[in-house]
Amino acid sequence: DVKVTQSSRYLVKRTGEKVFLECVQDMDHENMFWYRQDPGLGLRLIYFSYDVKMKEKGDIPEGYSVSREKKERFSLILESASTNQTSMYLCASSLSGVRYGYTFGSGTRLTVV
Amino acid sequence: AQKVTQAQTEISVVEKEDVTLDCVYETRDTTYYLFWYKQPPSGELVFLIRRNSFDEQNEISGRYSWNFQKSTSSFNFTITASQVVDSAVYFCALSEAGSSGANSKLTFGKGITLSVRP
């Protein structure tokens, strides 16, 4: 079964730590996305990538960076974690072309203490 | 800019009731796609349906049905005879057509939390 895999389901980190959230897809999708989900705010796009080594800022990129060295892997980096980055993080991938929807991972619930 | 509005934030029904989840969208494009996703408590968003802007036929899949009306820019989702397993957050999303890659980005509504009580 094809899927998007996020490395951790739950993560607890300390303020100031550098945090890596990993996402791997096995569908040979060109596009990959990182969202955060918070109650009442829905899904907010952090960063996305249409190709290897390419990245574009989403709606809320501040405090985050990304890396896409290989087509199948898209990493989200919190350079210096803060408590306001406590959230559910969702990774998604899709084929190029707007007719295609996204395939989502199961999410990583990050708590920054 | 495209926009998706899900005005209902939380809905609670008793099992076997019918329930309709509303979705209103805004776009300047004539070619676009609409989606519904379900997010159960496990967290993963699951694709339910896709509809393109040229296909206004309503769709039925078991207890699920979708009503697409371009005249009112709405793409509503109805669950007939709801069940406890339908409890989830439901997202409506919009994607506009254009050059490959550049517009392959969905705009999501804020989601509707549906609770179905036994």
Side-chain angles (χ1 to χ4, degrees):
Chain A
D1 195 16
V2 293
K3 58 181 167 183
V4 176
T5 303
Q6 294 186 232
S7 54
S8 303
R9 190 79 175 95
Y10 297 94
L11 212 51
V12 180
K13 295 292 182 181
R14 295 195 180 277
T15 301
E17 274 193 78
K18 190 169 186 176
V19 180
F20 293 85
L21 302 183
E22 305 289 344
C23 176
V24 177
Q25 51 95 2
D26 63 1
M27 296 166 284
D28 203 33
H29 284 175
E30 293 86 5
N31 305 334
M32 297 189 75
F33 307 85
W34 274 106
Y35 288 87
R36 66 176 282 177
Q37 182 178 13
D38 301 287
L41 299 177
L43 299 171
R44 292 183 292 167
L45 182 63
I46 305 171
Y47 266 98
F48 57 104
S49 169
Y50 289 139
D51 201 351
V52 177
K53 296 193 185 294
M54 290 181 64
K55 60 184 178 183
E56 294 194 40
K57 293 179 179 179
D59 301 318
I60 52 163
E62 297 76 21
Y64 303 94
S65 62
V66 289
S67 172
R68 193 165 181 203
E69 296 296 317
K70 293 184 177 181
K71 189 176 185 180
E72 66 271 19
R73 185 181 296 271
F74 192 36
S75 303
L76 179 69
I77 304 156
L78 286 66
E79 297 292 342
S80 177
S82 63
T83 54
N84 62 14
Q85 292 179 310
T86 291
S87 185
M88 168 71 96
Y89 290 88
L90 290 162
C91 177
S93 71
S94 74
L95 289 168
S96 279
V98 73
R99 70 171 64 187
Y100 301 106
Y102 295 176
T103 301
F104 282 87
S106 298
T108 295
R109 187 164 292 282
L110 173 67
T111 303
V112 182
V113 298
Chain B
Q2 53 191 9
K3 184 179 177 183
V4 176
T5 302
Q6 295 182 264
Q8 305 149 310
T9 53
E10 294 184 18
I11 301 175
S12 182
V13 299
V14 177
E15 209 170 18
K16 297 185 183 177
E17 279 187 43
D18 298 347
V19 57
T20 295
L21 311 181
D22 298 333
C23 174
V24 174
Y25 62 92
E26 295 176 28
T27 178
R28 293 182 180 179
D29 216 336
T30 56
T31 302
Y32 51 88
Y33 289 80
L34 293 161
F35 301 80
W36 275 95
Y37 285 85
K38 173 183 179 180
Q39 185 184 35
S42 60
E44 181 177 339
L45 273 79
V46 176
F47 166 83
L48 293 178
I49 190 172
R50 177 187 69 194
R51 174 68 69 215
N52 76 55
S53 52
F54 297 109
D55 182 2
E56 285 194 74
Q57 265 194 325
N58 291 333
E59 174 127 357
I60 297 174
S61 176
R63 296 184 296 105
Y64 294 174
S65 62
W66 290 268
N67 184 314
F68 175 33
Q69 292 195 337
K70 287 178 77 170
S71 60
T72 56
S73 296
S74 64
F75 186 42
N76 296 336
F77 174 28
T78 297
I79 302 174
T80 303
S82 60
Q83 299 176 2
V84 173
V85 293
D86 296 325
S87 297
V89 182
Y90 291 87
F91 290 94
C92 181
L94 165 70
S95 183
E96 291 177 327
S99 57
S100 174
N103 286 317
S104 296
K105 191 156 59 77
L106 296 182
T107 298
F108 287 88
K110 291 192 175 180
I112 301 170
T113 300
L114 174 65
S115 298
V116 181
R117 309 187 306 276

